[in-house]
């Protein structure tokens, strides 16, 4: 059975600024940490869908683009996984669209109340033992990412996003063994 999924990632305060006339948002869009739904999303399964996401995916607001296209606020530009299996993304936010402009204004104001949330279809799930809970929890083993939302509704509190310039952002996250 195929399920849909949405995982939240909080946004860390950053300095929102345009780069070359474009608006970019960066961050960790997924980790293998237990989320507030008591579920884990595995990096290996997400890596398989990265190319698809970069070519066909979208950035939306609060997973609402299925309801109304006006909630599509941008598109992915780059993505990679680091040695800790965190998924880093760079996304362009569109200019001149009401919702996108509102999100950008919040980022420029320094909000820390927005975050990332991955969305798409679950292809395969398995149960995995979580030592901290001393019980088995569901783990998404493979998924197809078709969008990532900027949202105020947290699920994975061990991740973050920023609107800082990409060069500064990547330098601060540089980890030996990282892969794109």
């Amino acid at each position: 059975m195929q399920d849909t999924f949405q995982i939240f990632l909080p946004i860390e305060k950053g300095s929102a600024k345009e780069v070359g006339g474009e608006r970019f948002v960066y961050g960790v869009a997924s980790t293998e940490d237990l989320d507030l739904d008591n579920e884990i999303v595995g990096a290996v399964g997400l890596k398989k869908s990265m190319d698809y996401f970069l070519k066909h995916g979208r950035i939306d607001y609060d997973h609402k683009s299925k309801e109304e296209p006006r909630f599509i606020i941008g598109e992915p530009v780059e993505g990679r996984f680091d040695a800790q299996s965190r998924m880093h993304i760079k996304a362009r936010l569109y200019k001149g669209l009401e919702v996108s402009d509102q999100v950008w204004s919040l980022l420029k104001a320094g909000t820390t109340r927005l975050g990332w949330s991955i969305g798409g279809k679950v292809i395969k799930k398995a149960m995995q033992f979580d030592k901290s809970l001393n019980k088995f929890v569901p783990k998404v083993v493979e998924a197809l990412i078709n969008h990532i939302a900027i949202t105020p509704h947290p699920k994975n509190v061990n991740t973050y996003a920023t609107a800082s310039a990409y060069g500064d952002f990547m330098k601060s996250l540089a980890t030996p063994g990282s892969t794109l």
Side-chain angles (χ1 to χ4, degrees):
M1 178 179 172
Q2 289 190 356
D3 297 325
T4 60
F5 69 99
Q6 300 173 356
I7 309 294
F8 171 87
L9 319 165
I11 286 184
E12 188 174 86
K13 185 176 179 180
S15 57
K17 51 187 160 185
E18 294 183 18
V19 178
E22 301 272 4
R23 297 173 175 172
F24 292 105
V25 181
Y26 315 86
V28 173
S30 185
T31 72
E32 290 189 325
D33 297 313
L34 187 70
D35 66 23
L36 295 178
D37 287 335
N38 287 321
E39 186 171 71
I40 295 169
V41 178
V44 172
L46 296 181
K47 286 178 184 178
K48 292 180 181 179
S49 71
M50 182 62 83
D51 286 341
Y52 177 85
F53 173 66
L54 291 174
K55 290 177 187 170
H56 306 288
R58 66 189 183 280
I59 304 300
D60 75 6
Y61 180 74
D62 203 28
H63 300 289
K64 293 183 178 183
S65 65
K66 287 188 269 183
E67 300 164 19
E68 293 183 52
R70 70 187 180 99
F71 291 105
I72 298 172
I73 62 172
E75 55 194 54
V77 176
E78 294 179 37
R80 70 174 180 89
F81 288 85
D82 67 19
Q84 289 79 38
S85 298
R86 297 175 298 191
M87 183 175 88
H88 298 265
I89 65 161
K90 174 183 178 181
R92 179 181 331 110
L93 290 185
Y94 299 137
K95 288 182 173 183
L97 301 177
E98 181 181 3
V99 177
S100 181
D101 290 346
Q102 289 172 348
V103 168
W104 188 251
S105 292
L106 286 169
L107 293 170
K108 282 176 47 178
T111 185
T112 59
R113 304 292 188 224
L114 294 176
W116 293 110
S117 181
I118 59 176
K121 290 206 177 270
V122 173
I123 297 170
K124 185 177 178 183
K125 266 190 186 180
M127 297 300 287
Q128 173 181 307
F129 189 77
D130 185 280
K131 292 177 187 176
S132 67
L133 295 174
N134 198 32
K135 69 178 185 178
F136 284 90
V137 296
K139 180 177 183 177
V140 175
V141 180
E142 189 172 349
L144 178 66
I145 304 168
N146 59 25
H147 72 283
I148 296 181
I150 293 179
T151 178
H153 305 290
K155 300 273 183 177
N156 185 332
V157 297
N158 296 315
T159 59
Y160 57 89
T162 181
S164 296
Y166 194 65
D168 296 338
F169 175 76
M170 293 310 291
K171 286 177 193 171
S172 71
L173 295 174
T175 305
S178 297
T179 59
L180 238 180

